[in-house]
Amino acid sequence: MKTYIKRICTVLLVPMALLMLTSAMPVNNGTGTGTGEVIRLGFIPLTDCAPIVMAKELGLFEKYGVKVEVTKEASWANVRDKILTGELDGAHCLFSMPFSVYTGVGGKEGSEMKIAMVLNNNGQAITLSKEFCGKVGFRQTAKAGPVVAAKLKEDKEVTFAMTFPGGTHDIWLRYWLAAAGISQKTSKIITIPPPQMVANMKVGNMDGYCVGEPWNGLAAKQNIGFTEISTQDIWKHHPEKALVVNKKFSEARREDLKNVMKAILEACKWLDNRANRKKAAGIIGKPQYINAPADVIEARLMGDYNLGCDLGTQIYTDDYMLYHRGGETNLPRKAHAIWFMTQFVRFDYLQTAPDYKAIADKLIMQDLYIEVAKSMGIKIPTDDMKPFTLTLDKVTFDPNKPDEYLKVAKK
């Protein structure tokens, strides 16, 4: 009888043990082996959060076998802190933020945030208060300097806002101010989270700001301000947002990260199909995402810019916000990282030049991106570390000679 009972127990326990072992094993999703654990990705309410949001909404994360939770964050500083502590595995993030944080401009020096891929090009803007209507118009950078100087002579402090020290919006603003001949020493530059820009301008807290959409388009629609210049007019096809991840996540969950990237790359392709942009605008405009009018989001997504201030409409045909551009957008380029770090020196955030190339090599996961892109048959650009020219002032930057650039730019 005892032998019989032992046999019965064995028959029952072995399948149970196998079931428990199987449930503890990593999930094989057909595209690589993942852990099956939830991945948390943050975003800021901006139109260029669309690749992450649409990857979620279109079921692409599930397609590639990863469980992703997307969370709306309050500010870029909040995103930085959560990535560094591991509360977020990754996020929609300013391309230049990891370099700002690592060099101590926008965080604790030496803190590592890794760039896996670029999410979009173009699509930010500088908005000026309606107080400047009739005094300066669209793309009138050279005219803006004297207008601002006149206000300063009236003993009024001129205040501009951006979204994070050393972030892309900060650098676009400072680059524009320099081109306009406006002294950054006599102007006040403050940090405001993107969704709060319009409300702050409405009550007169700033004279101008640089931010992503839809907060420039909304200011124009509400007659609070007007678009003075779009960032694609400063640098056509500039890098803007990136998928930035926690260092530990990038090392310990490499297969999960690769599958996240595949889902987002597919979303980027989907977004660059103009026929999909109306649907995208309706989804990302919802309260849980951007919480802004879909028509404003859609118009600028389509390159149709109502400038405000009776300036009419500007139509962009090949340089509105782009998410894939046939593979040209998504490669994270080390040359671009070096350019941003030279701007930190140029605008006195850093007193001495950092080791540009070493930092770019440390923080940009270019090899991983190339591996993922190749597996999806996506074109790999070959222009990294080659000179490029900015649109606004026609200045050519050679990433192999940043010190030579600074000798001219700092004058």
Side-chain angles (χ1 to χ4, degrees):
M1 178 63 73
K2 289 182 179 179
T3 302
Y4 177 76
I5 292 172
K6 284 181 180 179
R7 285 177 180 172
I8 292 295
C9 289
T10 300
V11 169
L12 292 173
L13 290 173
V14 169
M16 290 175 64
L18 287 171
L19 181 63
M20 292 173 66
L21 180 63
T22 302
S23 65
M25 291 174 67
V27 176
N28 188 331
N29 51 51
T31 56
T33 301
T35 65
E37 297 174 19
V38 172
I39 297 164
R40 292 176 176 81
L41 300 180
F43 69 91
I44 291 290
L46 290 162
T47 302
D48 47 32
C49 74
I52 288 175
V53 170
M54 293 313 302
K56 180 70 173 179
E57 290 282 342
L58 295 171
L60 297 176
F61 290 127
E62 289 86 350
K63 174 181 175 179
Y64 288 98
V66 284
K67 299 176 183 176
V68 174
E69 175 185 305
V70 297
T71 64
K72 184 192 288 192
E73 304 300 330
S75 67
W76 291 121
N78 187 240
V79 168
R80 172 201 62 200
D81 294 345
K82 288 187 175 182
I83 289 178
L84 290 174
T85 61
E87 188 173 342
L88 288 174
D89 297 301
H92 150 255
C93 196
L94 301 159
F95 177 83
S96 58
M97 184 193 284
F99 313 109
S100 171
V101 171
Y102 188 86
T103 57
V105 172
K108 183 180 178 182
E109 187 175 350
S111 299
E112 293 184 34
M113 301 164 67
K114 300 281 192 172
I115 293 180
M117 59 179 283
V118 174
L119 297 176
N120 71 296
N121 300 136
N122 310 321
Q124 321 300 294
I126 291 173
T127 290
L128 296 183
S129 165
K130 65 179 181 181
E131 178 184 350
F132 293 105
C133 286
K135 301 174 184 176
V136 60
F138 180 61
R139 290 179 180 163
Q140 292 187 327
T141 299
K143 198 174 181 180
V147 170
V148 173
K151 183 172 182 180
L152 286 168
K153 287 179 180 177
E154 296 171 5
D155 296 324
K156 293 181 181 179
E157 184 177 58
V158 178
T159 301
F160 295 95
M162 49 77 181
T163 62
F164 186 83
T168 53
H169 302 136
D170 184 23
I171 299 305
W172 308 140
L173 175 64
R174 292 177 187 276
Y175 203 95
W176 175 82
L177 288 170
I182 301 169
S183 172
Q184 294 172 42
K185 293 181 179 179
T186 55
S187 305
K188 185 178 181 182
I189 299 177
I190 60 176
T191 303
I192 300 287
Q196 297 176 25
M197 288 291 189
V198 174
N200 273 274
M201 181 171 277
K202 189 179 290 186
V203 296
N205 287 343
M206 79 272 276
D207 299 284
Y209 60 74
C210 183
V211 74
E213 298 300 344
W215 310 116
N216 301 289
L218 192 62
K221 182 177 182 177
Q222 294 184 359
N223 195 32
I224 294 164
F226 64 96
T227 300
E228 200 289 324
I229 192 169
S230 296
T231 52
Q232 52 265 42
D233 298 317
I234 296 174
W235 176 5
K236 184 177 180 179
H237 298 327
H238 64 77
E240 182 49 43
K241 302 303 188 299
L243 174 63
V244 173
V245 296
N246 168 271
K247 181 185 177 184
K248 183 179 179 181
F249 174 77
S250 73
E251 295 171 347
R253 300 178 65 182
R254 187 179 178 89
E255 292 303 318
D256 281 339
L257 175 54
K258 285 161 64 175
N259 289 325
V260 165
M261 291 168 67
K262 289 174 184 177
I264 292 174
L265 278 166
E266 189 167 329
C268 287
K269 285 184 178 182
W270 185 89
L271 284 160
D272 266 8
N273 181 341
R274 287 176 63 89
N276 294 327
R277 293 206 164 190
K278 183 179 184 66
K279 179 179 180 179
I283 291 172
I284 65 177
K286 292 179 178 179
Q288 66 266 37
Y289 297 127
I290 299 177
N291 193 25
D295 62 329
V296 176
I297 297 172
E298 181 187 351
R300 295 213 168 186
L301 266 179
M302 300 299 285
D304 185 352
Y305 281 47
N306 166 25
L307 300 172
C309 199
D310 297 321
L311 292 172
T313 300
Q314 169 68 24
I315 304 296
Y316 289 94
T317 57
D318 68 339
D319 55 353
Y320 47 85
M321 190 177 290
L322 296 169
Y323 297 95
H324 186 61
R325 211 160 44 96
E328 294 291 336
T329 294
N330 308 113
L331 174 74
R333 291 165 174 82
K334 296 177 182 180
H336 295 168
I338 294 170
W339 183 86
F340 276 105
M341 285 186 278
T342 61
Q343 304 310 307
F344 299 166
V345 178
R346 177 188 180 188
F347 297 127
D348 297 322
Y349 271 132
L350 297 175
Q351 299 307 307
T352 57
D355 191 337
Y356 302 109
K357 186 65 165 58
I359 296 172
D361 288 342
K362 181 185 286 287
L363 301 184
I364 292 182
M365 304 178 71
Q366 195 175 86
D367 290 344
L368 180 67
Y369 172 79
I370 291 172
E371 178 187 344
V372 171
K374 282 184 176 178
S375 74
M376 298 180 73
I378 293 172
K379 174 185 174 183
I380 310 296
T382 58
D383 60 349
D384 196 10
M385 296 307 294
K386 294 180 180 178
F388 55 88
T389 302
L390 271 74
T391 309
L392 179 62
D393 52 13
K394 309 304 180 188
V395 171
T396 297
F397 178 77
D398 186 344
N400 301 292
K401 301 175 181 177
D403 292 335
E404 290 189 13
Y405 165 85
L406 284 170
K407 287 177 183 177
V408 177
K410 287 277 287 180
K411 288 182 179 179

mmCIF file of all heavy atoms in Angstrom, residues 47-84:
data_model
loop_
_atom_site.group_PDB
_atom_site.id
_atom_site.type_symbol
_atom_site.label_atom_id
_atom_site.label_comp_id
_atom_site.label_asym_id
_atom_site.label_seq_id
_atom_site.Cartn_x
_atom_site.Cartn_y
_atom_site.Cartn_z
ATOM 1 N N THR A 47 3.987 66.109 -28.553
ATOM 2 C CA THR A 47 3.631 65.366 -29.758
ATOM 3 C C THR A 47 4.656 64.284 -30.086
ATOM 4 O O THR A 47 4.301 63.230 -30.615
ATOM 5 C CB THR A 47 3.470 66.332 -30.944
ATOM 6 O OG1 THR A 47 2.458 67.304 -30.621
ATOM 7 C CG2 THR A 47 3.066 65.609 -32.210
ATOM 8 N N ASP A 48 5.920 64.540 -29.757
ATOM 9 C CA ASP A 48 6.948 63.555 -30.120
ATOM 10 C C ASP A 48 7.053 62.387 -29.142
ATOM 11 O O ASP A 48 7.951 61.557 -29.262
ATOM 12 C CB ASP A 48 8.308 64.213 -30.331
ATOM 13 C CG ASP A 48 8.702 65.180 -29.235
ATOM 14 O OD1 ASP A 48 8.305 64.957 -28.076
ATOM 15 O OD2 ASP A 48 9.420 66.155 -29.528
ATOM 16 N N CYS A 49 6.086 62.280 -28.206
ATOM 17 C CA CYS A 49 5.995 61.051 -27.401
ATOM 18 C C CYS A 49 5.274 59.969 -28.202
ATOM 19 O O CYS A 49 5.154 58.821 -27.747
ATOM 20 C CB CYS A 49 5.282 61.296 -26.078
ATOM 21 S SG CYS A 49 3.477 61.500 -26.212
ATOM 22 N N ALA A 50 4.799 60.313 -29.393
ATOM 23 C CA ALA A 50 3.958 59.429 -30.197
ATOM 24 C C ALA A 50 4.543 58.037 -30.454
ATOM 25 O O ALA A 50 3.794 57.055 -30.425
ATOM 26 C CB ALA A 50 3.611 60.107 -31.523
ATOM 27 N N PRO A 51 5.856 57.875 -30.719
ATOM 28 C CA PRO A 51 6.346 56.515 -30.976
ATOM 29 C C PRO A 51 6.098 55.545 -29.822
ATOM 30 O O PRO A 51 5.721 54.389 -30.046
ATOM 31 C CB PRO A 51 7.840 56.726 -31.219
ATOM 32 C CG PRO A 51 7.942 58.105 -31.762
ATOM 33 C CD PRO A 51 6.903 58.878 -30.996
ATOM 34 N N ILE A 52 6.284 56.020 -28.593
ATOM 35 C CA ILE A 52 6.061 55.148 -27.441
ATOM 36 C C ILE A 52 4.571 54.921 -27.215
ATOM 37 O O ILE A 52 4.118 53.792 -27.001
ATOM 38 C CB ILE A 52 6.731 55.736 -26.184
ATOM 39 C CG1 ILE A 52 8.259 55.591 -26.294
ATOM 40 C CG2 ILE A 52 6.222 55.061 -24.912
ATOM 41 C CD1 ILE A 52 9.031 56.234 -25.163
ATOM 42 N N VAL A 53 3.795 55.995 -27.296
ATOM 43 C CA VAL A 53 2.347 55.872 -27.077
ATOM 44 C C VAL A 53 1.711 54.999 -28.149
ATOM 45 O O VAL A 53 0.899 54.112 -27.848
ATOM 46 C CB VAL A 53 1.689 57.262 -27.046
ATOM 47 C CG1 VAL A 53 0.166 57.133 -27.058
ATOM 48 C CG2 VAL A 53 2.139 58.039 -25.816
ATOM 49 N N MET A 54 2.071 55.207 -29.411
ATOM 50 C CA MET A 54 1.449 54.434 -30.477
ATOM 51 C C MET A 54 1.931 52.985 -30.492
ATOM 52 O O MET A 54 1.172 52.086 -30.874
ATOM 53 C CB MET A 54 1.696 55.098 -31.831
ATOM 54 C CG MET A 54 0.994 56.450 -32.003
ATOM 55 S SD MET A 54 -0.766 56.467 -31.509
ATOM 56 C CE MET A 54 -1.447 55.177 -32.567
ATOM 57 N N ALA A 55 3.161 52.734 -30.076
ATOM 58 C CA ALA A 55 3.609 51.341 -29.943
ATOM 59 C C ALA A 55 2.728 50.615 -28.941
ATOM 60 O O ALA A 55 2.396 49.429 -29.119
ATOM 61 C CB ALA A 55 5.069 51.289 -29.516
ATOM 62 N N LYS A 56 2.313 51.326 -27.897
ATOM 63 C CA LYS A 56 1.409 50.757 -26.897
ATOM 64 C C LYS A 56 0.007 50.593 -27.475
ATOM 65 O O LYS A 56 -0.603 49.514 -27.389
ATOM 66 C CB LYS A 56 1.370 51.669 -25.666
ATOM 67 C CG LYS A 56 0.464 51.191 -24.544
ATOM 68 C CD LYS A 56 1.006 49.958 -23.866
ATOM 69 C CE LYS A 56 0.200 49.591 -22.640
ATOM 70 N NZ LYS A 56 0.717 48.366 -22.003
ATOM 71 N N GLU A 57 -0.518 51.660 -28.078
ATOM 72 C CA GLU A 57 -1.894 51.658 -28.565
ATOM 73 C C GLU A 57 -2.113 50.697 -29.733
ATOM 74 O O GLU A 57 -3.204 50.139 -29.890
ATOM 75 C CB GLU A 57 -2.294 53.081 -28.983
ATOM 76 C CG GLU A 57 -2.464 54.044 -27.829
ATOM 77 C CD GLU A 57 -3.788 53.860 -27.104
ATOM 78 O OE1 GLU A 57 -4.708 53.247 -27.688
ATOM 79 O OE2 GLU A 57 -3.909 54.321 -25.952
ATOM 80 N N LEU A 58 -1.102 50.495 -30.555
ATOM 81 C CA LEU A 58 -1.217 49.615 -31.718
ATOM 82 C C LEU A 58 -0.915 48.160 -31.383
ATOM 83 O O LEU A 58 -0.945 47.298 -32.271
ATOM 84 C CB LEU A 58 -0.274 50.096 -32.838
ATOM 85 C CG LEU A 58 -0.581 51.465 -33.444
ATOM 86 C CD1 LEU A 58 0.551 51.900 -34.371
ATOM 87 C CD2 LEU A 58 -1.911 51.439 -34.203
ATOM 88 N N GLY A 59 -0.600 47.895 -30.129
ATOM 89 C CA GLY A 59 -0.317 46.522 -29.726
ATOM 90 C C GLY A 59 1.041 46.012 -30.178
ATOM 91 O O GLY A 59 1.269 44.793 -30.230
ATOM 92 N N LEU A 60 1.963 46.927 -30.473
ATOM 93 C CA LEU A 60 3.265 46.505 -31.007
ATOM 94 C C LEU A 60 4.182 45.944 -29.932
ATOM 95 O O LEU A 60 5.008 45.081 -30.207
ATOM 96 C CB LEU A 60 3.929 47.687 -31.726
ATOM 97 C CG LEU A 60 3.152 48.190 -32.954
ATOM 98 C CD1 LEU A 60 3.829 49.423 -33.543
ATOM 99 C CD2 LEU A 60 3.012 47.100 -34.004
ATOM 100 N N PHE A 61 4.061 46.432 -28.710
ATOM 101 C CA PHE A 61 4.866 45.851 -27.642
ATOM 102 C C PHE A 61 4.478 44.374 -27.442
ATOM 103 O O PHE A 61 5.340 43.506 -27.305
ATOM 104 C CB PHE A 61 4.697 46.631 -26.343
ATOM 105 C CG PHE A 61 5.312 48.005 -26.363
ATOM 106 C CD1 PHE A 61 4.556 49.125 -26.027
ATOM 107 C CD2 PHE A 61 6.647 48.183 -26.701
ATOM 108 C CE1 PHE A 61 5.122 50.392 -26.038
ATOM 109 C CE2 PHE A 61 7.219 49.456 -26.718
ATOM 110 C CZ PHE A 61 6.453 50.557 -26.385
ATOM 111 N N GLU A 62 3.181 44.117 -27.463
ATOM 112 C CA GLU A 62 2.722 42.734 -27.336
ATOM 113 C C GLU A 62 3.205 41.896 -28.514
ATOM 114 O O GLU A 62 3.589 40.728 -28.349
ATOM 115 C CB GLU A 62 1.195 42.691 -27.262
ATOM 116 C CG GLU A 62 0.619 43.221 -25.963
ATOM 117 C CD GLU A 62 0.429 44.736 -25.964
ATOM 118 O OE1 GLU A 62 0.921 45.403 -26.899
ATOM 119 O OE2 GLU A 62 -0.187 45.258 -25.026
ATOM 120 N N LYS A 63 3.176 42.480 -29.704
ATOM 121 C CA LYS A 63 3.637 41.758 -30.895
ATOM 122 C C LYS A 63 5.063 41.259 -30.723
ATOM 123 O O LYS A 63 5.399 40.146 -31.161
ATOM 124 C CB LYS A 63 3.555 42.680 -32.118
ATOM 125 C CG LYS A 63 4.146 42.087 -33.387
ATOM 126 C CD LYS A 63 4.052 43.053 -34.555
ATOM 127 C CE LYS A 63 4.762 42.487 -35.787
ATOM 128 N NZ LYS A 63 4.672 43.396 -36.946
ATOM 129 N N TYR A 64 5.890 42.074 -30.085
ATOM 130 C CA TYR A 64 7.293 41.693 -29.903
ATOM 131 C C TYR A 64 7.560 41.056 -28.536
ATOM 132 O O TYR A 64 8.711 40.899 -28.133
ATOM 133 C CB TYR A 64 8.192 42.904 -30.144
ATOM 134 C CG TYR A 64 8.248 43.279 -31.611
ATOM 135 C CD1 TYR A 64 7.445 44.293 -32.126
ATOM 136 C CD2 TYR A 64 9.075 42.572 -32.493
ATOM 137 C CE1 TYR A 64 7.470 44.612 -33.476
ATOM 138 C CE2 TYR A 64 9.102 42.892 -33.849
ATOM 139 C CZ TYR A 64 8.306 43.901 -34.333
ATOM 140 O OH TYR A 64 8.334 44.212 -35.676
ATOM 141 N N GLY A 65 6.496 40.704 -27.846
ATOM 142 C CA GLY A 65 6.636 39.880 -26.653
ATOM 143 C C GLY A 65 7.093 40.567 -25.392
ATOM 144 O O GLY A 65 7.649 39.924 -24.501
ATOM 145 N N VAL A 66 6.849 41.888 -25.284
ATOM 146 C CA VAL A 66 7.239 42.595 -24.061
ATOM 147 C C VAL A 66 6.022 43.251 -23.418
ATOM 148 O O VAL A 66 5.128 43.726 -24.112
ATOM 149 C CB VAL A 66 8.336 43.660 -24.332
ATOM 150 C CG1 VAL A 66 9.687 43.006 -24.514
ATOM 151 C CG2 VAL A 66 7.994 44.517 -25.551
ATOM 152 N N LYS A 67 6.000 43.247 -22.099
ATOM 153 C CA LYS A 67 4.919 43.863 -21.333
ATOM 154 C C LYS A 67 5.366 45.268 -20.925
ATOM 155 O O LYS A 67 6.262 45.422 -20.101
ATOM 156 C CB LYS A 67 4.616 43.035 -20.085
ATOM 157 C CG LYS A 67 4.170 41.611 -20.369
ATOM 158 C CD LYS A 67 3.985 40.829 -19.076
ATOM 159 C CE LYS A 67 3.612 39.387 -19.342
ATOM 160 N NZ LYS A 67 3.522 38.611 -18.083
ATOM 161 N N VAL A 68 4.757 46.269 -21.529
ATOM 162 C CA VAL A 68 5.181 47.656 -21.304
ATOM 163 C C VAL A 68 4.057 48.473 -20.682
ATOM 164 O O VAL A 68 2.912 48.431 -21.128
ATOM 165 C CB VAL A 68 5.643 48.309 -22.622
ATOM 166 C CG1 VAL A 68 5.937 49.798 -22.419
ATOM 167 C CG2 VAL A 68 6.893 47.605 -23.155
ATOM 168 N N GLU A 69 4.424 49.222 -19.663
ATOM 169 C CA GLU A 69 3.520 50.180 -19.029
ATOM 170 C C GLU A 69 4.056 51.570 -19.332
ATOM 171 O O GLU A 69 5.227 51.854 -19.100
ATOM 172 C CB GLU A 69 3.502 49.933 -17.521
ATOM 173 C CG GLU A 69 2.689 50.925 -16.719
ATOM 174 C CD GLU A 69 2.824 50.676 -15.220
ATOM 175 O OE1 GLU A 69 2.554 49.551 -14.783
ATOM 176 O OE2 GLU A 69 3.232 51.629 -14.509
ATOM 177 N N VAL A 70 3.207 52.453 -19.888
ATOM 178 C CA VAL A 70 3.649 53.817 -20.191
ATOM 179 C C VAL A 70 3.061 54.764 -19.150
ATOM 180 O O VAL A 70 1.897 54.639 -18.767
ATOM 181 C CB VAL A 70 3.269 54.259 -21.621
ATOM 182 C CG1 VAL A 70 3.958 53.380 -22.648
ATOM 183 C CG2 VAL A 70 1.767 54.240 -21.847
ATOM 184 N N THR A 71 3.873 55.693 -18.684
ATOM 185 C CA THR A 71 3.439 56.600 -17.623
ATOM 186 C C THR A 71 3.732 58.052 -17.980
ATOM 187 O O THR A 71 4.811 58.374 -18.464
ATOM 188 C CB THR A 71 4.142 56.273 -16.291
ATOM 189 O OG1 THR A 71 5.554 56.491 -16.416
ATOM 190 C CG2 THR A 71 3.915 54.824 -15.885
ATOM 191 N N LYS A 72 2.742 58.911 -17.723
ATOM 192 C CA LYS A 72 2.917 60.342 -17.952
ATOM 193 C C LYS A 72 3.714 60.944 -16.801
ATOM 194 O O LYS A 72 3.376 60.739 -15.635
ATOM 195 C CB LYS A 72 1.559 61.041 -18.067
ATOM 196 C CG LYS A 72 1.663 62.529 -18.395
ATOM 197 C CD LYS A 72 0.345 63.265 -18.217
ATOM 198 C CE LYS A 72 -0.653 62.911 -19.281
ATOM 199 N NZ LYS A 72 -1.819 63.846 -19.266
ATOM 200 N N GLU A 73 4.769 61.692 -17.128
ATOM 201 C CA GLU A 73 5.643 62.291 -16.113
ATOM 202 C C GLU A 73 5.468 63.808 -16.086
ATOM 203 O O GLU A 73 5.068 64.421 -17.076
ATOM 204 C CB GLU A 73 7.095 61.913 -16.377
ATOM 205 C CG GLU A 73 7.352 60.405 -16.442
ATOM 206 C CD GLU A 73 6.997 59.677 -15.152
ATOM 207 O OE1 GLU A 73 7.105 60.298 -14.075
ATOM 208 O OE2 GLU A 73 6.602 58.499 -15.217
ATOM 209 N N ALA A 74 5.805 64.405 -14.953
ATOM 210 C CA ALA A 74 5.524 65.825 -14.738
ATOM 211 C C ALA A 74 6.552 66.770 -15.343
ATOM 212 O O ALA A 74 6.227 67.895 -15.725
ATOM 213 C CB ALA A 74 5.408 66.099 -13.236
ATOM 214 N N SER A 75 7.819 66.345 -15.401
ATOM 215 C CA SER A 75 8.882 67.234 -15.879
ATOM 216 C C SER A 75 10.062 66.393 -16.325
ATOM 217 O O SER A 75 10.164 65.203 -16.003
ATOM 218 C CB SER A 75 9.329 68.192 -14.765
ATOM 219 O OG SER A 75 9.966 67.451 -13.721
ATOM 220 N N TRP A 76 10.987 67.045 -17.039
ATOM 221 C CA TRP A 76 12.191 66.317 -17.472
ATOM 222 C C TRP A 76 13.067 65.954 -16.272
ATOM 223 O O TRP A 76 13.721 64.911 -16.276
ATOM 224 C CB TRP A 76 12.969 67.147 -18.481
ATOM 225 C CG TRP A 76 12.291 67.312 -19.802
ATOM 226 C CD1 TRP A 76 11.917 68.477 -20.403
ATOM 227 C CD2 TRP A 76 11.884 66.263 -20.698
ATOM 228 N NE1 TRP A 76 11.305 68.225 -21.605
ATOM 229 C CE2 TRP A 76 11.280 66.874 -21.816
ATOM 230 C CE3 TRP A 76 11.972 64.865 -20.664
ATOM 231 C CZ2 TRP A 76 10.773 66.147 -22.888
ATOM 232 C CZ3 TRP A 76 11.464 64.129 -21.726
ATOM 233 C CH2 TRP A 76 10.873 64.769 -22.822
ATOM 234 N N ALA A 77 13.086 66.790 -15.262
ATOM 235 C CA ALA A 77 13.856 66.468 -14.060
ATOM 236 C C ALA A 77 13.300 65.216 -13.402
ATOM 237 O O ALA A 77 14.051 64.367 -12.889
ATOM 238 C CB ALA A 77 13.842 67.642 -13.084
ATOM 239 N N ASN A 78 11.990 65.084 -13.424
ATOM 240 C CA ASN A 78 11.322 63.908 -12.889
ATOM 241 C C ASN A 78 11.710 62.657 -13.690
ATOM 242 O O ASN A 78 11.993 61.593 -13.118
ATOM 243 C CB ASN A 78 9.810 64.136 -12.935
ATOM 244 C CG ASN A 78 9.009 63.050 -12.261
ATOM 245 O OD1 ASN A 78 8.183 62.403 -12.895
ATOM 246 N ND2 ASN A 78 9.218 62.850 -10.979
ATOM 247 N N VAL A 79 11.745 62.794 -14.998
ATOM 248 C CA VAL A 79 12.164 61.682 -15.874
ATOM 249 C C VAL A 79 13.603 61.282 -15.567
ATOM 250 O O VAL A 79 13.923 60.095 -15.428
ATOM 251 C CB VAL A 79 12.016 62.075 -17.361
ATOM 252 C CG1 VAL A 79 12.713 61.063 -18.268
ATOM 253 C CG2 VAL A 79 10.545 62.190 -17.742
ATOM 254 N N ARG A 80 14.468 62.282 -15.476
ATOM 255 C CA ARG A 80 15.885 62.011 -15.155
ATOM 256 C C ARG A 80 16.020 61.208 -13.864
ATOM 257 O O ARG A 80 16.699 60.165 -13.842
ATOM 258 C CB ARG A 80 16.630 63.345 -15.000
ATOM 259 C CG ARG A 80 18.069 63.227 -14.487
ATOM 260 C CD ARG A 80 18.526 64.557 -13.886
ATOM 261 N NE ARG A 80 17.704 64.943 -12.739
ATOM 262 C CZ ARG A 80 17.605 66.182 -12.260
ATOM 263 N NH1 ARG A 80 18.283 67.160 -12.819
ATOM 264 N NH2 ARG A 80 16.835 66.437 -11.210
ATOM 265 N N ASP A 81 15.365 61.677 -12.812
ATOM 266 C CA ASP A 81 15.499 61.027 -11.507
ATOM 267 C C ASP A 81 14.979 59.598 -11.525
ATOM 268 O O ASP A 81 15.589 58.686 -10.960
ATOM 269 C CB ASP A 81 14.759 61.837 -10.443
ATOM 270 C CG ASP A 81 15.395 63.198 -10.200
ATOM 271 O OD1 ASP A 81 16.554 63.405 -10.624
ATOM 272 O OD2 ASP A 81 14.731 64.065 -9.593
ATOM 273 N N LYS A 82 13.852 59.388 -12.191
ATOM 274 C CA LYS A 82 13.262 58.046 -12.218
ATOM 275 C C LYS A 82 14.077 57.069 -13.063
ATOM 276 O O LYS A 82 14.132 55.868 -12.753
ATOM 277 C CB LYS A 82 11.819 58.122 -12.709
ATOM 278 C CG LYS A 82 10.857 58.732 -11.692
ATOM 279 C CD LYS A 82 9.418 58.627 -12.163
ATOM 280 C CE LYS A 82 8.442 59.128 -11.111
ATOM 281 N NZ LYS A 82 7.038 58.980 -11.552
ATOM 282 N N ILE A 83 14.709 57.562 -14.128
ATOM 283 C CA ILE A 83 15.568 56.674 -14.920
ATOM 284 C C ILE A 83 16.801 56.295 -14.108
ATOM 285 O O ILE A 83 17.210 55.122 -14.069
ATOM 286 C CB ILE A 83 15.975 57.335 -16.255
ATOM 287 C CG1 ILE A 83 14.769 57.420 -17.197
ATOM 288 C CG2 ILE A 83 17.103 56.540 -16.931
ATOM 289 C CD1 ILE A 83 15.061 58.108 -18.514
ATOM 290 N N LEU A 84 17.386 57.260 -13.444
ATOM 291 C CA LEU A 84 18.613 56.998 -12.691
ATOM 292 C C LEU A 84 18.375 56.067 -11.495
ATOM 293 O O LEU A 84 19.250 55.262 -11.146
ATOM 294 C CB LEU A 84 19.233 58.312 -12.212
ATOM 295 C CG LEU A 84 19.842 59.185 -13.316
ATOM 296 C CD1 LEU A 84 20.305 60.524 -12.754
ATOM 297 C CD2 LEU A 84 21.009 58.478 -14.002
#
